[in-house]
Amino acid sequence: MALSLCSTRTILLLFLLSAIPVAFIISLELAKPTTHVYHYHSSGFMRECAKWDDLNRRFLVSFVEGGVGEIRVPDDYSPGTVLKEVTVVKDVDLSGNSSLGILVDRPRNRLLVAVSAFPWNKYNALAAYDLTTWKRLFLTQLSGPGDEKAFADDVAVDAEGNAYVTDVNVGKIWKVGKDGGLVSIIRNPLFNAKEWYKNLGQLNGIVYHPDGFLIVINTFTGNLYKVDITKGDEVKLIKVTGGSLFFGDGLELLSPTELVVAVAGKPSARLVKSFDGWETASVVATFKGPVHRLATAATVKDGKVYINHMFGIGFPKKHAIVEAVFST
């Protein structure tokens, strides 16, 4: 006889089935990490990006529900200590928008925040905050409800203080001047794939290279692009060998020849090297990372790479910023 959907036996079966993945996650959380991990308790479940602020000895994290938090690492920090997130930015007028990619712009003592029209499709913007007072320096609207459906995702800044914000939905880059004025929009046919399904997630992570160009990744194709802002925003596809960068998310330069790619999959980070000015590159090493967490961003602290993970697991909400030790 078939089990009734409301029978005690059915409810017990569903409970046991749901308990299996929960028990697996708990076992992974309780297992000793293979590399160093900064755990912290948070007020929210999703933290999209984390960047290390060396001068102030803190991680800064972006809230998917909107806002920015800091996680201070004390001088007497002991490995295994669970740190605490403190909210430093929570703008009432940005309620309904997400804070996604962030960047510590140290020369100008400010934090740049890509503000996305998610989840309520309010508008896309770039915000800048003073790193000392947390006063908002400017808020530049990039697109609104009447424009093409865009999705601001990540941000980079050049030597002059111009910011570059990626649009993961349409596949373009907004350029914003150092004082907050919208300068231009960079578009190129290379940013778009022929297959429609590969355009569901387009330009994502972005970094500025000290030689005067941008490196940006397309999430659904795994393509890396070199955007030369000294040559009229010339765009070239970087030929990558040695592995796939499919589902690539946040980027971080480890050195002028080394790029870290956080990947929303496994392995959760790839180390990419180039010795010809990023005309070509190779995936030379990977980091597996926690199998039950979703990698979204990379940062460098004291010469070591750390990977941010999106979801907080446990109670209270427990997030992990994990040291990436690469292996071939």
Side-chain angles (χ1 to χ4, degrees):
M1 182 181 294
L3 292 175
S4 167
L5 290 176
C6 296
S7 71
T8 302
R9 190 177 301 177
T10 302
I11 293 173
L12 180 60
L13 177 61
L14 292 174
F15 173 78
L16 290 173
L17 290 174
S18 64
I20 292 173
V22 172
F24 177 64
I25 290 173
I26 291 174
S27 68
L28 292 173
E29 280 292 292
L30 294 176
K32 183 178 180 180
T34 57
T35 63
H36 179 243
V37 180
Y38 286 103
H39 281 119
Y40 67 93
H41 286 153
S42 168
S43 60
F45 282 108
M46 293 186 287
R47 298 293 177 257
E48 204 276 340
C49 188
K51 294 295 180 181
W52 175 246
D53 177 11
D54 184 66
L55 184 63
N56 296 293
R57 304 295 299 172
R58 62 188 175 182
F59 288 102
L60 297 173
V61 295
S62 62
F63 302 172
V64 172
E65 69 271 23
V68 175
E70 67 172 11
I71 300 100
R72 290 193 174 270
V73 180
D75 293 335
D76 60 351
Y77 167 79
S78 177
T81 302
V82 179
L83 303 172
K84 184 179 180 180
E85 171 194 280
V86 176
T87 300
V88 292
V89 170
K90 194 70 173 177
D91 293 334
V92 174
D93 61 334
L94 291 178
S95 176
N97 290 72
S98 286
S99 300
L100 297 182
I102 60 175
L103 178 77
V104 177
D105 184 9
R106 175 51 56 204
R108 282 156 282 277
N109 193 49
R110 64 183 185 177
L111 182 75
L112 299 176
V113 181
V115 178
S116 177
F118 174 83
W120 308 121
N121 195 29
K122 196 173 184 181
Y123 55 79
N124 294 276
L126 176 69
Y129 300 90
D130 185 277
L131 281 167
T132 304
T133 65
W134 292 112
K135 175 184 177 182
R136 193 166 75 190
L137 305 174
F138 65 74
L139 176 69
T140 302
Q141 184 169 329
L142 303 174
S143 66
D147 302 323
E148 60 185 353
K149 196 172 180 63
F151 193 110
D153 190 89
D154 204 0
V155 58
V157 64
D158 66 21
E160 286 71 43
N162 300 302
Y164 301 85
V165 182
T166 55
D167 178 359
V168 76
N169 191 61
V170 176
K172 64 178 182 290
I173 302 170
W174 293 281
K175 179 179 180 180
V176 177
K178 66 178 181 178
D179 296 322
L182 181 59
V183 176
S184 62
I185 297 177
I186 302 172
R187 300 177 186 265
N188 193 282
L190 287 176
F191 292 155
N192 307 114
K194 294 180 180 179
E195 303 89 344
W196 66 268
Y197 55 88
K198 290 185 178 181
N199 290 315
L200 296 175
Q202 298 190 44
L203 300 188
N204 197 324
I206 186 171
V207 292
Y208 173 74
H209 193 281
D211 288 344
F213 55 85
L214 305 168
I215 300 174
V216 62
I217 193 166
N218 183 307
T219 292
F220 271 44
T221 64
N223 289 337
L224 278 182
Y225 304 101
K226 178 180 179 180
V227 183
D228 197 330
I229 56 178
T230 68
K231 296 181 179 180
D233 301 329
E234 174 189 78
V235 178
K236 291 183 178 179
L237 177 67
I238 300 172
K239 184 178 179 181
V240 178
T241 59
S244 171
L245 298 178
F246 176 65
F247 263 20
D249 198 330
L251 306 180
E252 184 79 358
L253 277 176
L254 186 56
S255 74
T257 61
E258 297 174 298
L259 178 73
V260 177
V261 182
V263 178
K266 299 301 171 208
S268 59
R270 310 320 152 69
L271 181 63
V272 184
K273 286 191 176 184
S274 174
F275 297 103
D276 60 2
W278 294 95
E279 297 293 316
T280 64
S282 298
V283 178
V284 297
T286 61
F287 171 64
K288 183 178 180 181
V291 298
H292 62 303
R293 289 184 179 268
L294 181 68
T296 54
T299 190
V300 176
K301 176 187 180 295
D302 302 329
K304 298 179 180 179
V305 175
Y306 283 85
I307 304 298
N308 176 75
H309 295 81
M310 172 72 82
F311 298 104
I313 297 174
F315 181 83
K317 305 168 189 73
K318 190 178 178 184
H319 289 264
I321 302 174
V322 181
E323 180 187 358
V325 177
F326 293 96
S327 60
T328 55

